[in-house]
């Protein structure tokens, strides 16, 4: 038999070429191509999303190449996923991570050790957990009933007083609590008066008509130049600014962990996601000195806000490039709640879990964005129901990408139908590995990015009526 083939049937055999330079194929044996589901996770930083896109670095592109290098895909099929019946359960966006991603296809799973070979050909931020044999008709996209995503939002983001406005930035100057990440904020193009970071022309937000210094009425007085995330140059005039110490703003990066005696120690990252709540989420007493905390009252309100999304709605206002009349704008949300707080590297995050049949581009980030705006009293709660109406077009905020990850893909119908003849398609067998990866790669990345770049802290400045006039609707 030839060492190459043009078919993709289950019975197809492939003779390993003994003259191949690839050490994984230096065996004279014939193997059959099998239909399998592959379980894996990845940290999305540095990638332009899951789906392969010519000229872009994608998770799918790296995975396909690893499958070839590991002997799962022959040379003739390299770079041509249709030839091996490729399908993905979810298409995550740029920068979005995943813990329970699933893809399917027909691959050479022999000789043993495919998982190790795949991982050896992948960067550490992509980890293959394993694979399972599936029916010949299995398709990871079509057979996925539901998808569960998680968005980690810092607790301070739900505090109406935290990062409230430009005045808070000005008031913090000279108080020894200046936050470089906030001083760098431009409010989507509009510089903070008297606080100008070193930014180039590309920092202007074209969509929102970014204003330059002259448009914002800025002067060169009291300028703070942000040299880097760890170095700030303060001009002499700055000290003359009224230094009102706003405690909410001073604790903005970590408002729920700092006590009056600075003795509140953060738990080790490995303890994250185990109901580690010292305030709320189980009735624990508030820690001394906390200004804002995700207690029972806050949790009840935030969950009530998220419940508005449940059920079948037209989400045309929560995505891009999808018209209201497009049937794909109608999506079913099974559940949306935020009942847990996890602590990672000294920052408390509210864990927002949403389960739905499928999601559109930016849909979850926009749902979270509007919910946070409501929680911070930037918009009325009634605006969510208004935004779900077909005859209304409004612009809602989009939460940063870094806090979002795909938690699991669910195959309930398939598992029920084939339970007597095939293994269950679930993450159960890999949950410990997945948990370790989530803590070490995804959670750590989310926390580190917030501490280093203040992504959410900066985003909070955009939640105002100047940038989003529609937030006033329904008030």
């Amino acid at each position: 038999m030839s060492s190459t083939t043009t078919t993709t049937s289950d019975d197809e055999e492939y003779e390993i070429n003994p003259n191949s330079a690839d050490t994984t194929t230096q065996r004279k044996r014939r193997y059959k191509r099998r239909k399998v589901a592959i379980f894996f996770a990845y940290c999305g930083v540095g990638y332009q999303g899951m789906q392969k896109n010519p000229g872009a670095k994608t998770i799918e592109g790296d995975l396909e190449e690893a499958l070839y290098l590991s002997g799962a895909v022959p040379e003739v099929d390299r770079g041509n996923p249709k030839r091996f019946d490729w399908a993905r359960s979810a298409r995550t966006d740029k920068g979005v991570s995943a813990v329970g991603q699933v893809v399917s296809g027909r691959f050479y799973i022999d000789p043993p050790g495919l998982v190790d070979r795949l991982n050896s050909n992948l960067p550490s931020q992509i980890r293959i957990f394993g694979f399972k044999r599936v029916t010949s008709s299995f398709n990871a996209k079509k057979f996925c009933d539901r998808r569960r995503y998680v968005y980690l939002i810092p607790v301070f983001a739900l505090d109406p007083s935290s990062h409230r406005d430009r005045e808070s930035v000005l008031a913090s100057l000279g108080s020894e609590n200046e936050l470089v990440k906030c001083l760098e904020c431009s409010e989507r193009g509009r510089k903070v008066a008297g606080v100008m970071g070193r930014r180039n022309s590309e920092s202007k937000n074209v969509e929102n008509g970014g204003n330059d210094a002259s448009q914002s009425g800025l002067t060169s007085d009291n300028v703070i130049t942000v040299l880097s995330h760890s170095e700030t140059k303060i001009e002499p005039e700055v000290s003359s600014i009224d230094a009102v110490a706003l405690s909410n703003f001073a604790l903005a990066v970590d408002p729920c962990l700092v006590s009056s005696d600075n003795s509140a120690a953060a738990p080790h990252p490995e303890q994250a996601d185990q109901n580690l709540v010292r305030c709320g989420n189980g009735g624990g007493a508030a820690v001394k000195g906390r200004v804002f905390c995700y207690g029972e009252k806050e949790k009840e309100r935030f969950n009530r806000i998220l419940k508005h999304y449940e059920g079948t709605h037209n989400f045309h206002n929560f995505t891009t490039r999808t018209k209201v009349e497009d049937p794909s704008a109608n999506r079913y949300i099974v559940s949306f709640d935020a009942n847990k707080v996890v602590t990672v590297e000294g920052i408390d995050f509210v864990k927002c879990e949403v389960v739905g049949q499928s999601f559109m581009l930016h849909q979850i980030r926009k749902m979270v964005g509007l919910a946070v705006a409501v929680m911070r009293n930037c918009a009325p709660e009634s605006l969510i129901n208004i935004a779900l109406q077909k005859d209304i077009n409004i612009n809602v905020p989009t939460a940063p990408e870094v806090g979002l990850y795909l938690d699991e893909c669910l195959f309930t119908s398939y598992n029920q139908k084939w339970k007597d003849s095939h293994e269950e398609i679930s993450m159960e067998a890999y949950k410990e590995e997945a948990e370790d990866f989530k803590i070490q790669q995804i959670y750590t990345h989310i926390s580190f990015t917030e501490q280093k770049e203040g992504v959410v802290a900066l985003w909070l400045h955009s939640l105002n009526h100047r940038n989003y006039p529609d937030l006033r609707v329904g008030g």
Side-chain angles (χ1 to χ4, degrees):
M1 175 178 286
S2 170
S3 61
T4 59
T5 181
T6 58
T7 63
T8 58
S9 69
D10 242 8
D11 296 330
E12 177 190 338
E13 295 184 354
Y14 177 60
E15 182 176 6
I16 299 302
N17 184 355
N19 297 319
S20 171
D22 188 346
T23 58
T24 65
T25 62
Q26 292 179 0
R27 302 180 184 179
K28 272 191 173 181
R29 291 192 60 184
R30 293 183 177 183
Y31 299 114
K32 289 185 178 181
R33 189 177 295 206
R34 307 294 189 183
K35 190 66 171 291
V36 300
I38 299 176
F39 299 81
F40 66 106
Y42 52 85
C43 181
V45 60
Y47 283 90
Q48 300 297 308
M50 169 68 184
Q51 187 175 12
K52 190 166 68 172
N53 188 13
K57 183 178 177 59
T58 64
I59 299 294
E60 204 167 74
D62 280 8
L63 182 55
E64 281 187 21
E65 185 64 10
L67 285 165
Y68 163 71
L69 295 174
S70 303
V73 172
E75 174 71 37
V76 69
D77 291 350
R78 186 182 188 184
N80 191 355
K82 290 184 178 180
R83 294 180 64 89
F84 44 88
D85 203 15
W86 178 268
R88 74 189 75 82
S89 292
R91 184 178 59 186
T92 55
D93 302 333
K94 173 187 175 183
V96 177
S97 302
V99 177
Q101 178 67 285
V102 180
V103 295
S104 62
R106 299 181 188 276
F107 307 111
Y108 296 111
I109 60 177
D110 295 313
L114 176 60
V115 172
D116 291 337
R117 293 197 301 275
L118 283 171
N119 283 326
S120 68
N121 287 302
L122 287 167
S124 60
Q125 68 185 90
I126 303 178
R127 286 294 88 180
I128 306 296
F129 298 135
F131 60 85
K132 295 183 179 181
R133 292 284 303 277
V134 293
T135 61
S136 60
S137 62
F138 182 84
N139 181 291
K141 178 182 179 181
K142 296 179 181 178
F143 283 61
C144 183
D145 301 311
R146 299 174 180 178
R147 293 137 178 108
R148 179 171 62 245
Y149 281 82
V150 170
Y151 192 100
L152 294 187
I153 186 76
V155 167
F156 70 74
L158 304 182
D159 179 3
S161 300
S162 176
H163 298 259
R164 182 66 180 177
D165 48 34
R166 299 197 318 269
E167 286 66 33
S168 295
V169 176
L170 292 175
S172 75
L173 299 180
S175 66
E176 298 183 356
N177 289 311
E178 297 94 342
L179 300 176
V180 174
K181 54 183 64 64
C182 296
L183 303 182
E184 189 181 19
C185 177
S186 66
E187 281 197 297
R188 292 201 164 199
R190 184 176 180 180
K191 300 291 192 302
V192 177
V195 181
M196 185 182 300
R198 179 179 292 172
R199 309 177 69 90
N200 55 37
S201 59
E202 295 179 355
S203 66
K204 297 180 182 179
N205 186 299
V206 179
E207 179 181 356
N208 290 286
N211 301 321
D212 57 22
S214 61
Q215 291 172 317
S216 303
L218 299 181
T219 68
S220 60
D221 297 334
N222 304 322
V223 173
I224 288 185
T225 302
V226 178
L227 303 177
S228 68
H229 290 295
S230 60
E231 182 181 6
T232 304
K233 179 181 179 181
I234 304 179
E235 301 297 337
E237 287 84 359
V238 172
S239 59
S240 65
I241 296 180
D242 183 23
V244 179
L246 297 182
S247 59
N248 283 342
F249 185 77
L251 302 179
V253 169
D254 192 11
C256 283
L257 284 176
V258 181
S259 65
S260 58
D261 59 1
N262 295 320
S263 62
H268 191 277
E270 292 181 358
Q271 294 177 300
D273 203 18
Q274 296 180 13
N275 212 28
L276 298 178
V277 187
R278 292 185 294 279
C279 181
N281 187 33
V287 172
K288 177 183 177 182
R290 290 196 177 191
V291 176
F292 179 83
C293 147
Y294 193 65
E296 291 302 320
K297 181 179 179 181
E298 291 77 14
K299 181 168 67 174
E300 180 181 358
R301 184 188 177 208
F302 196 38
N303 273 282
R304 185 184 71 239
I305 292 171
L306 296 176
K307 293 297 179 186
H308 288 285
Y309 295 119
E310 295 182 352
T312 301
H313 302 286
N314 189 299
F315 287 93
H316 72 283
N317 282 317
F318 293 85
T319 186
T320 57
R321 301 190 298 273
T322 299
K323 304 292 185 181
V324 62
E325 61 273 10
D326 190 333
S328 66
N330 294 296
R331 302 288 165 132
Y332 174 57
I333 304 300
V334 179
S335 63
F336 206 164
D337 57 61
N339 294 319
K340 296 181 181 179
V341 172
V342 299
T343 303
V344 189
E345 300 290 346
I347 298 182
D348 280 356
F349 294 89
V350 177
K351 187 177 182 180
C352 306
E353 297 186 48
V354 57
V355 178
Q357 290 181 332
S358 59
F359 300 91
M360 296 180 290
L361 179 67
H362 301 330
Q363 181 183 343
I364 297 175
R365 291 167 57 194
K366 283 183 172 289
M367 289 193 293
V368 171
L370 182 55
V372 170
V374 173
M375 190 71 178
R376 292 172 58 81
N377 301 322
C378 298
E381 189 172 330
S382 60
L383 182 59
I384 295 181
N385 290 330
I386 293 175
L388 294 172
Q389 296 178 17
K390 295 182 178 180
D391 57 344
I392 298 293
N393 289 310
I394 66 174
N395 183 28
V396 301
T398 305
E401 66 206 26
V402 66
L404 180 63
Y405 67 88
L406 171 65
D407 192 48
E408 187 174 5
C409 296
L410 307 173
F411 300 85
T412 308
S413 298
Y414 171 87
N415 290 333
Q416 180 63 30
K417 182 177 181 179
W418 299 99
K419 62 181 180 180
D420 295 330
S421 59
H422 287 75
E423 289 185 272
E424 179 182 73
I425 303 302
S426 76
M427 288 292 294
E428 184 64 26
Y430 315 111
K431 61 181 181 181
E432 291 186 7
E433 292 179 75
E435 188 70 14
D436 288 342
F437 183 91
K438 178 173 64 177
I439 293 172
Q440 296 173 13
Q441 291 277 351
I442 299 176
Y443 277 18
T444 301
H445 165 64
I446 293 173
S447 177
F448 177 78
T449 302
E450 187 57 39
Q451 291 190 41
K452 181 180 178 181
E453 302 177 16
V455 174
V456 174
L458 293 175
W459 171 69
L460 293 179
H461 285 300
S462 73
L463 296 182
N464 55 57
H465 292 160
R466 183 187 66 80
N467 288 320
Y468 295 99
D470 293 339
L471 293 180
R472 292 192 179 96
V473 176

